[in-house]
Amino acid sequence: MSVSVVYWSGTGNTQAMAEAVAEGIAEAGKEAAVIEVGAADAAALAAEEAFALGCPSMGAEQLEETEMEPFVEALEPLAAGKKILLFGSYGWGDGEWMRDWAERMKNAGAVLVRDEGVIANETPDDDTLAECRAAGKELAEA
């Protein structure tokens, strides 16, 4: 069974995090599918028991609005009972976008693997990438 890691990345920071999450999933003995959100399907993703979503903070601490926001909106009514890991990078603020996103997914009935997701300020460092791998492993074992 494959575990999907769906992400949007503008600079490559969130993509690097997605790849680290996928490495953690593989360490747990499961196959990971890393998918850019433009190529993802919300209904197909919702058929999985567990998956990861990654998006950087954009604008006034919000999700990327042309691809990721509509995808999350389509996924929300399908998220109840799903085990989800959220992750992403930010360049300013304090991670409010991730807390808002986590709250939104909890309100949709999802079970979050990490309550406030995994976040990186700018480029993820080795510690953050290790945290992504650990979180990916937790997701695969959830």
Side-chain angles (χ1 to χ4, degrees):
M1 179 188 92
S2 182
V3 179
S4 293
V5 181
V6 176
Y7 74 94
W8 186 93
S9 189
T11 61
N13 292 341
T14 300
Q15 181 179 358
M17 295 175 78
E19 291 165 359
V21 168
E23 289 167 14
I25 292 167
E27 285 172 19
K30 295 212 171 134
E31 189 178 321
V34 180
I35 307 164
E36 203 281 322
V37 71
D41 176 83
L45 187 64
E48 298 181 26
E49 287 181 34
F51 50 86
L53 299 172
C55 186
S57 170
M58 305 292 286
E61 296 226 32
Q62 59 203 28
L63 297 178
E64 186 279 327
E65 61 187 14
T66 58
E67 292 187 85
M68 196 60 163
E69 177 60 37
F71 185 80
V72 171
E73 282 177 15
L75 191 60
E76 270 179 289
L78 311 171
K82 303 298 176 187
K83 295 174 186 84
I84 303 175
L85 169 66
L86 301 178
F87 64 91
S89 64
Y90 65 102
W92 58 89
D94 66 354
E96 181 185 349
W97 105 101
M98 182 58 73
R99 291 191 298 275
D100 291 346
W101 193 14
E103 191 66 29
R104 184 173 166 189
M105 298 316 287
K106 285 181 206 167
N107 289 341
V111 178
L112 298 186
V113 170
R114 297 269 177 116
D115 269 346
E116 288 194 358
V118 179
I119 63 175
N121 190 320
E122 302 291 352
T123 304
D125 61 16
D126 290 344
D127 289 345
T128 304
L129 293 175
E131 189 180 348
C132 288
R133 282 190 288 276
K137 191 172 183 186
E138 288 169 35
L139 177 67
E141 293 170 346

